[in-house]
Amino acid sequence: MGTAAGLAIIPTGMGEDPFRMGVEKVRRCTAAQRADGMRGLMVRSRMKRVRIVFPAAALLSGAGNWLTFIALIVFIQQTHGSSAAVGLFLAQTAPALLVAGAVARRVPPRAVYRTWILIQVGVAALTIVASFFVTYLGAIYAYAGVSMVLRSILNPLFMTLISTNVAPQDKPDVLRSVSASSALTMAIVPALGGALLPVAGPHVLLVVNALLSLASATLLFLTLTVSPSAEPSVGARTSTDSRRRLFNIPGVMTLVQVEGSRIWVWRTFETRAWILLILGGAIFNAIETPFIFDVARGGSELFGAMMAAYGLGGLVVLLLGMFPGRRLSLILARFINPQSMTCTVIVGFACLAGMAGLESRAAGHTLGLVSFFLLGTAVSWLSGTIRSWLDELPGSEQGLGLTVWTWASQVTLAVNLLVYGVFTLAFTRLPAGVWLIAAPLCAYSLLALSILRSADRGPPPARQSVVDLPGRLRYINSVLLCHWQQRRH
């Protein structure tokens, strides 16, 4: 009876089998490690997915936009003349410059993803409707204005999605891939659209654009798991200045200050670098056609080949950004930095100047192809890198990301409008010559000087490896470790 009472007060755990307790501990440990391994696999899978999803969506949208532009500009040029073609450019640019920025900045952070999907689908529907009225000049102008406003809203929303859904160590690669996709579509799609337009007509190209827009929206809808964005703090969105000035006019203000913040454009390295990059690119786009046809004495074949070389350079950057862990990418990363890429741009323009001075047309055309390849590679890489710098501006993590990307989109429109207007007047008074190279060369030289003299920006930090041990090996290692610990105790 005393024995029974003594046994009754013994704790239950002390009577359990030590071997069974050890097995239970190993099972709990292995289950936790298995879950950790699965989370690691899911994270790595998502990282690989976003490296492909965002550039692919940008590629689809860019291809559709270029098809529409070629369809409309060529059709208007052939049916209504040059003045109507200039009117199309103004109908596209002016409304977007005045309206799009104010609308994009008012999109709540939590609604960025849904708004982007809805507007993308809306652009597709609008394009299909416009394909039935493409023979009316007024309808074309109305479609160009409304669609450009919507696309100018889509662009900062898309960049905000990248900022909020891509890991910090992967953003430079993803942004370079997105920039390279733009160069690739600009080089290839216009030639493809020009070949299809006489056969299919503008109606078909507009429908293809609508289908590509839907494909881009579907791709992000099916593959992207959006991280919920935190609401900005009370002081995150600051007004520019309540005083009314000339610079408060939409579009003009973008050249002075980032609207919706206290960031002064020319005092901040990142924004200054973006404007100089956009300025150089706009001037280059304005001079490339007269330079190739009038100065280099080339034809449509040379123009297509040089644009293809430019797109090939963008393709190189696209592949390096989408597959950064490859051996070739790691080797090239040792030599690629902002300084070397700006020097590559200057070398590319020097090759263009030499192309015009060579007597041998074959040698000159070869040098032109090399120069456009160098320019496509360097400009695409710089565009993505400077975008990653914009993403790191102070305050971007507090809700200013959309404000900064809206400014970047608006200032691109403003600079393009300014540059095209100036060179339209210049071409009416001055003959085309080698002097055309001087303008973009000056802009990119200022960019190179700004990068070299910047005290707070050196080469981008080395890409941190995000490659972890495979989940299966981690699971096996954890099981062996648990067994070893149990044997010790």
Side-chain angles (χ1 to χ4, degrees):
M1 194 170 169
T3 304
L7 289 177
I9 62 174
I10 295 176
T12 307
M14 294 181 60
E16 293 182 358
D17 187 359
F19 178 76
R20 184 177 299 173
M21 293 173 61
V23 171
E24 183 65 24
K25 288 183 179 180
V26 170
R27 185 164 56 187
R28 287 196 299 267
C29 183
T30 54
Q33 293 296 333
R34 187 186 300 113
D36 185 59
M38 290 299 297
R39 283 194 297 268
L41 286 174
M42 293 174 64
V43 169
R44 289 192 300 275
S45 175
R46 187 176 186 274
M47 289 180 178
K48 292 179 180 178
R49 187 168 66 244
V50 297
R51 289 198 195 107
I52 298 175
V53 167
F54 284 111
L59 194 65
L60 292 171
S61 297
N65 294 340
W66 272 106
L67 284 177
T68 296
F69 178 76
I70 291 298
L72 297 181
I73 196 69
V74 173
F75 179 77
I76 289 179
Q77 179 72 35
Q78 292 176 348
T79 57
H80 299 281
S82 300
S83 59
V86 175
L88 175 66
F89 176 74
L90 293 176
Q92 280 187 316
T93 308
L97 194 59
L98 295 173
V99 176
V103 175
R105 283 191 296 272
R106 284 168 173 76
V107 177
R110 293 184 181 273
V112 168
Y113 174 67
R114 295 190 301 271
T115 305
W116 187 89
I117 294 291
L118 291 175
I119 295 180
Q120 189 78 0
V121 174
V123 169
L126 181 65
T127 305
I128 292 178
V129 173
S131 66
F132 294 99
F133 303 95
V134 75
T135 55
Y136 301 97
L137 183 61
I140 293 177
Y141 281 174
Y143 165 73
V146 175
S147 62
M148 192 63 181
V149 169
L150 295 178
R151 291 191 180 100
S152 299
I153 298 172
L154 284 172
N155 189 35
L157 297 181
F158 184 76
M159 301 306 297
T160 304
L161 286 176
I162 295 178
S163 299
T164 55
N165 291 277
V166 179
Q169 65 269 22
D170 292 330
K171 283 182 185 178
D173 291 328
V174 174
L175 290 170
R176 291 180 196 126
S177 298
V178 170
S179 300
S181 68
S182 176
L184 188 62
T185 54
M186 185 180 69
I188 297 176
V189 178
L192 180 62
L196 292 176
L197 184 61
V199 180
H203 312 77
V204 176
L205 293 187
L206 288 176
V207 172
V208 172
N209 177 19
L211 295 177
L212 290 175
S213 297
L214 288 176
S216 178
T218 303
L219 179 64
L220 256 66
F221 180 77
L222 294 179
T223 60
L224 184 63
T225 303
V226 177
S227 302
S229 301
E231 292 288 349
S233 60
V234 175
R237 293 179 181 266
T238 57
S239 60
T240 53
D241 194 349
S242 59
R243 292 175 293 178
R244 295 297 178 183
R245 299 178 180 178
L246 171 65
F247 296 119
N248 283 337
I249 299 175
V252 179
M253 187 62 190
T254 59
L255 300 174
V256 180
Q257 187 178 11
V258 178
E259 295 178 278
S261 74
R262 300 188 184 276
I263 300 173
W264 294 96
V265 169
W266 297 101
R267 294 180 184 176
T268 308
F269 166 73
E270 294 86 351
T271 53
R272 183 172 65 249
W274 178 256
I275 284 191
L276 292 174
L277 178 74
I278 294 302
L279 179 63
I283 297 174
F284 181 50
N285 291 337
I287 70 163
E288 61 185 4
T289 302
F291 182 85
I292 293 174
F293 284 91
D294 299 334
V295 180
R297 303 179 303 279
S300 58
E301 295 82 5
L302 177 63
F303 181 80
M306 293 180 74
M307 293 302 295
Y310 189 90
L312 184 60
L315 178 62
V316 171
V317 178
L318 177 64
L319 294 178
L320 291 178
M322 293 177 67
F323 307 102
R326 306 295 182 184
R327 180 177 300 178
L328 179 60
S329 300
L330 297 176
I331 293 175
L332 293 177
R334 301 175 184 176
F335 307 99
I336 298 177
N337 54 60
Q339 291 84 356
S340 65
M341 288 293 101
T342 50
C343 292
T344 302
V345 172
I346 295 174
V347 170
F349 281 109
C351 292
L352 275 183
M355 170 190 177
L358 291 176
E359 296 183 358
S360 173
R361 297 187 65 181
H365 293 175
T366 303
L367 189 60
L369 293 175
V370 172
S371 66
F372 264 61
F373 173 77
L374 294 176
L375 290 171
T377 304
V379 171
S380 299
W381 192 92
L382 284 172
S383 177
T385 300
I386 295 176
R387 283 176 174 176
S388 68
W389 293 347
L390 290 175
D391 183 71
E392 297 171 0
L393 276 173
S396 296
E397 70 280 358
Q398 298 177 351
L400 285 180
L402 181 56
T403 300
V404 171
W405 292 124
T406 302
W407 168 83
S409 177
Q410 291 295 100
V411 80
T412 302
L413 291 172
V415 170
N416 277 277
L417 181 62
L418 179 64
V419 167
Y420 290 155
V422 169
F423 274 87
T424 300
L425 295 176
F427 290 146
T428 60
R429 298 179 179 271
L430 297 174
V434 184
W435 65 269
L436 293 174
I437 300 297
L441 186 58
C442 288
Y444 284 115
S445 298
L446 290 174
L447 175 61
L449 183 63
S450 179
I451 290 176
L452 291 174
R453 296 186 61 182
S454 176
D456 58 340
R457 282 289 180 187
R463 185 183 63 83
Q464 299 178 357
S465 175
V466 295
V467 180
D468 198 0
L469 289 175
R472 186 172 298 179
L473 292 180
R474 293 181 61 187
Y475 168 69
I476 294 175
N477 181 54
S478 64
V479 171
L480 294 176
L481 180 61
C482 288
H483 279 292
W484 178 75
Q485 290 176 346
Q486 291 299 326
R487 293 186 64 178
R488 283 188 61 187
H489 295 294

